[in-house]
Amino acid sequence: MTEHINHTQEITDKDLSADDLYHNLLMDYAAGRLAEAQNMIIAAHICMSGNARQKLRQYESLGGYMLENECAPVSMCASALDNTLSLLDQVRHEAEHKSQNNIFPGNITVPTPITECLETNRVNAKWRMLFPGLETFKVKLNCPRHNVRFIKAAPKVKTPHHTHGGVEITLVLDGAYEDEYGQYKRGDLVISDENQRHTPQSCARRGCVCLIVSDTPVRFTGLWRILNYFIKI
Amino acid sequence: MTMYENEKNKDTDAAAGLHPRRMSDSASGDVSYEDLLYDVGQNKDKDSFIALFNYFAPRIKSFLLKGGASETKADELAQETMLNVWNKAKGYDPTKAAASTWIFTIARNKRIDALRKKKYYSVDLDNLPELEDETDTSPIQNAIDNEETHAIAHAIHNLPAEQADLIKRSYFEEKTHQEIADETGLPLGTVKSRIRIALKRLRQDPTISELWT
């Protein structure tokens, strides 16, 4: 998808789309400044998507450019080089603790950032029923403004019509789902903004498992509003 | 004269010269930083490492100072970054990234570990398992021939100063949008849309958009 906007023309808020947010997330990831919840979901998406890896490389190149050309050299202390050289031959023990046990519930392989997150936050990763066919569990992270949860939908389950107060980022971990705007498969990152109302439905064969990071809780709309009182997703 | 060249002229680093990425070596012709880094990775060559250190360590130190590190801390962390460069260089693939890009990621991770003290989920592009439907195999040739660096320099130069500054600060300061909003008193929405507009503008630069399809 190419955008045909004259690049000298003024860009305003109204020209911004979910695509711009997506690029911003990847740039902020490359720059190392995402809040924990977004950091985790973007890292997981990068593990699962070739397209995301390519974009990340581009934003890391931008970082390389910044380092090389926008950071005027500042002299190192006199002993710096000798000091570093003296450490080169020391044998280094890799402090790599990579747990291999998949603590994610069910028979699903999830990318490392997710297992790492569940482990470091000692999450009780267990599905809890929200309503028939839809299960969930929440993760509390060190960034209170984000709501992080996993959901698992049985095949052909429709989530009631709802809207998001803020931005909601969904990563498909297994299976697929669709809504009024498109179809999403494993590895896809879906960004919906505040004004989008949608009715997602999981795919017929496998259902779907997703990770969702949102700014604010989901609000059900229409007759489903009554659910807001009972269900806190 | 472009800003890019201006910047270069201020640069007194002897190794850098006018062509920032090529070291002039009369015996063997031009040696790039990519060649040096590859040499460190494959042959543990200390002379190549020293050349990299002399060029990059002062820049890494500057990068860390911009991120809020003290003089002593920045010096110490720049040394540790270069030590990590030595230890990890074996995984460096010059067909995939420019030396500056690769070293930037090491410096960034060092900064996150040391200054942020928060959990950061990092993904090592060098060591990710390949995807089944691999769409990412195309080596970034421009990493080698410098085209990308020049395109970026050009695009940054063409941005209004305020927007260029926003993008630069994104890389230097690890503040989240929320932290910037708290600090400046600007509404969070404004902080977010400003940086997105700057980035959109950068991506719409004709050379960049061609390169970064």
Side-chain angles (χ1 to χ4, degrees), chain A residues 3 34 59 77 83 89 116, chain B residues 46 75 79 119 171 200:
Chain A
E3 291 164 271
L34 284 179
Y59 288 116
C77 74
N83 183 28
D89 297 321
E116 229 180 283
Chain B
K46 288 194 180 163
D75 206 287
Q79 291 181 44
K119 174 89 190 143
Y171 281 90
K200 193 182 187 77

Side-chain angles (χ1 to χ4, degrees), chain B residues 33-72:
Chain B
Y33 291 106
E34 285 71 29
D35 296 335
L36 291 172
L37 184 53
Y38 188 69
D39 193 27
V40 169
Q42 300 305 307
N43 311 316
K44 296 258 159 205
D45 188 283
K46 288 194 180 163
D47 290 334
S48 293
F49 179 77
I50 292 171
L52 282 174
F53 188 100
N54 287 334
Y55 183 70
F56 281 105
R59 286 172 169 78
I60 297 167
K61 182 174 178 179
S62 165
F63 169 73
L64 293 161
L65 286 169
K66 283 174 191 283
S70 68
E71 167 78 26
T72 331

